[in-house]
């Protein structure tokens, strides 16, 4: 087949997948529709689709696990991802020129070079894994793993190119679902919740506020615990990230992710590894609480595609500053400020400063 014909076929397949994504009603639905459209085009046996926090890259809700049982080994998968030496970690793919790669292609047909394969995938019958980060610019909105079981052909260049071409378009659609919706609810929210994990990662204690927050999280893969409740994989991964940072294995950015509750509010989950006697690794403390105003503002700016400068202008608008004072504060001209405001209005689909502030800073706590 000629290169031109292969290119045309990839473009046609991409158009078909995106048409399905455009009909999605939320992130989980987009994952389901995209997976269903992709399977005939580049066959795979099982898959994991996970939303990520665009600032830290940590997984968050929702997550779609297909044909991998109940997802009971998800914790092992993410523990290997964060704590072991691996081929194609998502953190590297997020910064790569092409955010998609196959395990067999990356290891020259020797997937056992990856700890993830040796520990988990090989024993599950996986023959190859195609990994992708769905990103807009340098902001990751989801990660994807497609698996082929033993006996199948490895993922090829055309399949890698197809998924790579979908990365930015799918991420652009995903970030729209982070925007406030008419169903977002105002309700009494618990105080910050606290959980402790021992140095091996086993949860040891939890307060009542944390239990209340956990009850508001959407359904998804979880693991049992001695605390008498199942822990969502997003919290487990945040605690694992804290251990990875303590070991010097992870980049700056912290062990932090934001999770949207079933009633549309945003929670921030952050973890830190404490020190024990003589500097030995101690327990991991995990706090889950309503997202602070600054956290919500940055997330909303990401959801609407604002640039860092546009977010600065918007924050000064929220403080009530007129155009001239915004210009003086940012050391730019009033004309440039007006250009930024016009761009922000277009992205947020508003026509006044008051409507802009309400949309980015208040609507995600609007009564249903």
């Amino acid at each position: 087949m000629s290169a031109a014909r292969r290119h045309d076929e990839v473009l046609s397949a991409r158009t078909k997948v995106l048409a399905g994504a455009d009909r999605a009603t939320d992130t989980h639905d987009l994952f389901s529709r995209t997976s269903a459209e992709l399977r005939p085009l580049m066959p795979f046996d099982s898959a994991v689709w996970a939303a990520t926090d665009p600032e830290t890259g940590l997984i968050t809700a929702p997550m779609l696990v297909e044909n991998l049982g109940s997802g009971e080994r998800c914790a092992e998968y993410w523990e290997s991802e964060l704590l072991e030496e691996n081929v194609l970690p998502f953190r590297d793919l997020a910064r790569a020129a092409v955010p998609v790669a196959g395990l067999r292609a990356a290891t020259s047909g020797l997937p056992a070079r990856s700890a993830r394969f040796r520990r988990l995938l090989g024993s599950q019958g996986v023959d190859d894994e195609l990994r992708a980060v769905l990103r807009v610019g340098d902001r990751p909105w989801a990660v994807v793993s497609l698996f082929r079981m033993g006996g199948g052909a490895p993922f090829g260049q055309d399949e890698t190119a197809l998924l790579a071409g979908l990365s930015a378009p799918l991420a652009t659609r995903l970030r729209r679902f982070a925007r406030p919706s008419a169903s977002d609810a105002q309700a009494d929210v618990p105080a910050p919740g606290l959980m402790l994990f021992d140095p091996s990662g086993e949860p040891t204690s939890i307060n009542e506020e944390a239990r209340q927050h956990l009850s508001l999280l959407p359904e998804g893969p979880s693991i049992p615990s001695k605390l008498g409740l199942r822990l969502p994989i997003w919290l487990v991964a945040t605690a694992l990230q804290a251990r990875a940072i303590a070991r010097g294995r992870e980049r700056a950015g912290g062990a932090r992710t934001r999770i949207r509750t079933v009633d549309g509010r945003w929670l921030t989950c952050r973890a830190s590894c404490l020190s024990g006697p003589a500097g030995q690794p101690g327990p991991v403390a995990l706090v889950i609480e309503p997202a602070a105003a600054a956290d919500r503002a940055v997330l909303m700016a990401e959801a609407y595609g604002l640039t860092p400068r546009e977010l600065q202008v918007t924050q000064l608008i929220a403080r009530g500053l007129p155009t001239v004072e915004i210009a003086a504060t940012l050391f730019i001209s009033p004309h440039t400020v007006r250009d930024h405001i016009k761009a922000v209005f277009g992205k947020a689909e508003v026509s006044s400063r008051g409507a802009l502030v309400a949309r980015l800073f208040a609507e995600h706590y609007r009564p249903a």
Side-chain angles (χ1 to χ4, degrees), residues 32-118:
S32 297
R33 289 176 180 272
T34 303
S35 194
E37 293 287 353
L38 274 179
R39 196 180 295 270
L41 301 172
M42 44 185 301
F44 51 89
D45 298 294
S46 54
V48 175
W49 300 74
T52 55
D53 186 300
E55 281 195 279
T56 64
L58 272 181
I59 57 171
T60 184
M63 180 183 292
L64 173 66
V65 179
E66 297 182 312
N67 300 327
L68 287 171
S70 60
E72 63 274 4
R73 303 194 71 180
C74 269
E76 292 181 65
Y77 183 86
W78 294 106
E79 183 175 21
S80 177
E81 172 74 17
L82 295 170
L83 297 180
E84 297 180 332
E85 290 292 341
N86 269 299
V87 176
L88 302 177
F90 284 123
R91 64 177 178 272
D92 288 351
L93 277 180
R95 300 190 297 267
V98 178
V100 182
L103 180 58
R104 282 196 168 270
T107 60
S108 301
L110 300 172
R113 288 170 51 191
S114 169
R116 183 174 65 257
F117 185 89
R118 295 193 305 270

Side-chain angles (χ1 to χ4, degrees), residues 103-315:
L103 180 58
R104 282 196 168 270
T107 60
S108 301
L110 300 172
R113 288 170 51 191
S114 169
R116 183 174 65 257
F117 185 89
R118 295 193 305 270
R119 175 178 178 177
L120 191 64
L121 300 184
S123 63
Q124 291 185 306
V126 172
D127 190 68
D128 197 11
E129 176 187 13
L130 186 65
R131 293 189 136 202
V133 175
L134 308 185
R135 68 188 186 190
V136 179
D138 63 352
R139 296 303 200 188
W141 287 90
V143 293
V144 183
S145 284
L146 307 179
F147 303 100
R148 282 181 177 164
M149 299 307 176
F155 289 100
Q157 292 182 352
D158 289 347
E159 293 164 324
T160 300
L162 171 58
L163 194 51
L166 289 168
S167 174
L170 288 176
T172 300
R173 287 157 174 80
L174 283 170
R175 73 180 181 184
R176 294 173 186 166
F177 294 126
R179 299 176 182 180
S181 66
S183 63
D184 293 351
Q186 172 69 55
D188 294 333
V189 294
L194 176 65
M195 294 183 62
L196 292 179
F197 297 76
D198 68 22
S200 69
E202 179 70 29
T204 58
S205 55
I206 183 172
N207 66 3
E208 182 58 33
E209 288 80 5
R211 290 182 183 272
Q212 293 180 50
H213 285 304
L214 292 182
S215 70
L216 298 173
L217 297 185
E219 292 185 3
S222 61
I223 62 170
S225 73
K226 295 178 181 178
L227 300 176
L229 75 165
R230 297 187 67 87
L231 299 182
I233 195 65
W234 316 297
L235 268 68
V236 175
T238 307
L240 288 170
Q241 176 83 335
R243 292 169 60 194
I245 291 172
R247 296 182 186 184
R249 293 188 51 82
E250 279 293 333
R251 65 189 185 282
R256 179 175 62 89
T257 193
R258 288 161 294 193
I259 307 170
R260 204 166 197 176
T261 64
V262 293
D263 57 6
R265 292 180 293 106
W266 286 98
L267 300 176
T268 296
C269 176
R270 67 185 80 241
S272 179
C273 192
L274 308 181
S275 296
Q280 294 297 310
V284 170
L286 183 146
V287 175
I288 182 169
E289 60 187 339
D295 255 353
R296 299 196 306 269
V298 172
L299 186 59
M300 290 303 105
E302 295 282 0
Y304 284 99
L306 303 190
T307 66
R309 177 65 89 186
E310 289 168 352
L311 175 58
Q312 287 180 317
V313 170
T314 302
Q315 290 172 324

